[in-house]
Amino acid sequence: MKKITIGKNITASKIAYGCMRIGRKTEKEAQMAVLTAIDCGVNFFDNADIYCDGVSEEYFGKALKGIDRDSIVIQSKCSIRKGYYDFSREHIIKSAENSIKRIGTEYLDVLCLHRPDVLMQGEEVAEAFENLYSRGLVKNFGVSNFTPMQVELLKKYIDYPLVVNQLQLGIFHTGMIDSWMCANMDNSFAVDKDGSVLAYSMLSDMKIQAWGPMRSKNGFFPDDKAVADKMPALEEFGEKYSLSKESAAIAFINELPVVQPIIGTTNPERIRDLLACRDTKIEKPDWYKLYKEMGNLVP
C-alpha cells in the first residue's frame, strides 16, 4: 500500500482502519479484523476513548499481541463526554492515560481532540499537551471535526503542530470539494460550510482523515434506495478498475492527495474488498466524470 507522511515523523498507510465497531464483536472477531487490515498493508489505526465505552481500545490492544509496535501507528481521540465536550486539562490527560492503558502500549502516536469544545480554555489544552508530550505519552497531536478558524484558534495556544483533522468525507458527502469546484459561483455547490478546509489543510500540511466514506443521507449507500440511481455509474467506474462499487467509492476519495480514508467494517471479507483499491491510480478524466455522475457540478 502507498505510504504517506503525517507530520514530520509518521509514515502511514494511505488508508487507515477505524476501530470504532470492533468492541461490538467478540475478542476473536476483533482480532481477525485488525489482523486482516494489517495483512492488507494498513499500519494506521484510529481509536477513541468513547468507542464501545473503551472496549474497542481493549480489543485492539489485545489484537496487537506479537505485532512489532514500531510497525503500527496508533491514534486515539478524546473530549466527547455524555452530553458535552471537555477540553479541560484534567480530562485530556486522564483520557490519554486511560487509552494508553487499555491498548497496552507505552504511547500514542497521535492524540486528537474529538469535537470542538466551545468553552475551551486554550491555556488548559496547552498544559495538557505539554504534560503528555514531555512524559513521552503522546508523540503528535491533531483534531477532529474542526473548521480552519477553530484550528487557528487552538494553534494560538499550543506549541505543537496539529497534524491531522478528521472530517466527514465520502462520495456522497463532498461539500469541501463542491465549494472548491464552484468558488464564486451563484449556485448551491458554491456554499462553503467548511471554511475552505480542503485548501487550508493543504497549506497547513494537515492530513484530512475521511470518516464515514460509505455513508449517504439514509445510512450506507450500498443499501440506500435514495441513491440507487447512482449505482450504475459507480459500478461502471469500478469495473474499469476491477473494483467493487464499495471499493471504488474509497478509491475516489483516496485520489485526493491530502486525504487519508478511514474504513470501519469489521467483516474480514469486506476489509479485503475495500482495500483492493489501495494501489489503484484513477485517471483524472474518470475521477471528474464520476464526481459529476454522482450529481455534482463540474462548471
Side-chain angles (χ1 to χ4, degrees):
M1 183 184 296
K2 180 181 178 181
K3 295 294 193 296
I4 58 174
T5 299
I6 296 178
K8 294 182 178 180
N9 56 11
I10 297 176
T11 300
S13 50
K14 182 64 164 65
I15 302 174
Y17 184 77
C19 298
M20 182 172 70
R21 294 181 179 86
I22 65 172
R24 301 175 186 173
K25 300 296 181 177
T26 66
E27 185 178 321
K28 184 176 180 179
E29 289 171 331
Q31 179 185 39
M32 183 59 67
V34 171
L35 294 181
T36 299
I38 291 174
D39 187 58
C40 291
V42 172
N43 79 334
F44 193 104
F45 291 86
D46 175 63
N47 294 270
D49 56 356
I50 64 165
Y51 290 165
C52 298
D53 293 324
V55 176
S56 292
E57 288 185 325
E58 292 178 10
Y59 282 3
F60 170 69
K62 291 178 179 179
L64 293 183
K65 299 299 183 184
I67 303 295
D68 179 13
R69 174 65 179 88
D70 290 339
S71 69
I72 300 297
V73 182
I74 301 175
Q75 173 174 283
S76 196
K77 302 185 292 294
C78 70
S79 80
I80 297 180
R81 306 187 74 170
K82 291 183 179 180
Y84 65 104
Y85 307 134
D86 189 352
F87 280 11
S88 67
R89 178 186 184 278
E90 292 76 12
H91 180 70
I92 293 171
I93 293 172
K94 192 64 176 178
S95 293
E97 290 173 340
N98 287 341
S99 290
I100 289 168
K101 182 177 179 180
R102 283 191 292 265
I103 294 170
T105 185
E106 294 182 352
Y107 63 92
L108 298 174
D109 294 283
V110 186
L111 176 68
C112 293
L113 301 177
H114 207 158
R115 282 193 178 273
D117 176 10
V118 71
L119 302 180
M120 172 188 80
Q121 297 293 326
E123 293 86 356
E124 288 200 36
V125 178
E127 290 173 7
F129 281 12
E130 175 60 27
N131 178 289
L132 294 167
Y133 185 84
S134 65
R135 293 162 61 201
L137 298 182
V138 175
K139 306 293 186 182
N140 298 272
F141 299 94
V143 295
S144 180
N145 303 297
F146 271 53
T147 67
M149 286 303 291
Q150 289 168 336
V151 172
E152 285 296 308
L153 175 61
L154 187 56
K155 286 166 66 175
K156 172 183 176 181
Y157 298 97
I158 63 176
D159 294 326
Y160 304 100
L162 297 170
V163 298
V164 299
N165 189 2
Q166 197 169 118
L167 298 161
Q168 186 175 11
L169 173 65
I171 199 164
F172 291 106
H173 191 92
T174 57
M176 66 178 72
I177 301 173
D178 303 341
S179 58
W180 174 298
M181 202 80 72
C182 296
N184 200 39
M185 296 185 68
D186 188 19
N187 60 56
S188 61
F189 292 95
V191 176
D192 180 8
K193 298 179 180 180
D194 305 305
S196 300
V197 71
L198 186 56
Y200 175 84
S201 300
M202 293 178 179
L203 285 168
S204 304
D205 295 324
M206 294 180 73
K207 289 293 183 289
I208 293 176
Q209 295 178 331
W211 66 263
M214 306 303 294
R215 294 191 182 192
S216 54
K217 289 185 178 180
N218 300 304
F220 296 96
F221 75 77
D223 306 314
D224 187 354
K225 294 181 180 179
V227 295
D229 62 321
K230 304 293 192 301
M231 292 303 103
L234 188 55
E235 289 169 353
E236 181 182 353
F237 177 88
E239 287 174 4
K240 178 171 181 177
Y241 291 95
S242 301
L243 302 171
S244 69
K245 64 179 182 293
E246 292 83 4
S247 187
I250 300 298
F252 174 80
I253 59 171
N254 197 40
E255 198 65 25
L256 294 162
V258 74
V259 170
Q260 183 187 38
I262 301 176
I263 65 166
T265 179
T266 57
N267 183 308
E269 183 178 345
R270 291 175 183 168
I271 292 172
R272 294 188 189 95
D273 175 62
L274 292 179
L275 293 175
C277 71
R278 58 189 178 270
D279 295 317
T280 302
K281 176 63 179 175
I282 306 300
E283 296 178 12
K284 189 172 291 191
D286 292 334
W287 190 93
Y288 276 92
K289 180 174 182 286
L290 181 62
Y291 174 77
K292 186 174 183 179
E293 288 175 335
M294 292 300 102
N296 302 306
L297 179 63
V298 178

